[in-house]
Amino acid sequence: MATTDVIRFGRFEYTPAELDQMFEEATRRGEANLRLFPLAVSAKYERQSQSVVLTLNNGARYEFPADLL
């Protein structure tokens, strides 16, 4: 009797092919979200202006006074 490899996560069981497909789908959704929704890629404090500068992955740059935090 041949058995299929099964990977268990709690009460769920998946074949390696199913896990590969789920990983590919999750990767596609993640990449789509990165294109659709801004994500902070850097934040820094500028001492001279006493402000925080936030840069997003879409190129937007936001600067605001640090005392607002």
Side-chain angles (χ1 to χ4, degrees):
M1 176 185 222
T3 61
T4 303
D5 290 334
V6 174
I7 301 167
R8 294 179 187 202
F9 291 103
R11 64 185 179 134
F12 302 101
E13 295 181 350
Y14 303 102
T15 65
E18 289 172 321
L19 287 176
D20 287 342
Q21 182 181 1
M22 291 186 322
F23 181 82
E24 290 172 11
E25 290 172 6
T27 300
R28 277 194 298 277
R29 286 192 308 269
E31 290 170 350
N33 280 340
L34 286 175
R35 287 189 301 274
L36 295 172
F37 303 106
L39 177 70
V41 293
S42 73
K44 66 180 181 177
Y45 174 72
E46 290 188 348
R47 186 175 300 188
Q48 195 171 38
S49 63
Q50 295 183 349
S51 61
V52 174
V53 179
L54 186 65
T55 305
L56 304 181
N57 64 339
N58 63 4
R61 182 176 184 263
Y62 296 94
E63 183 173 347
F64 50 91
D67 61 356
L68 291 179
L69 294 176

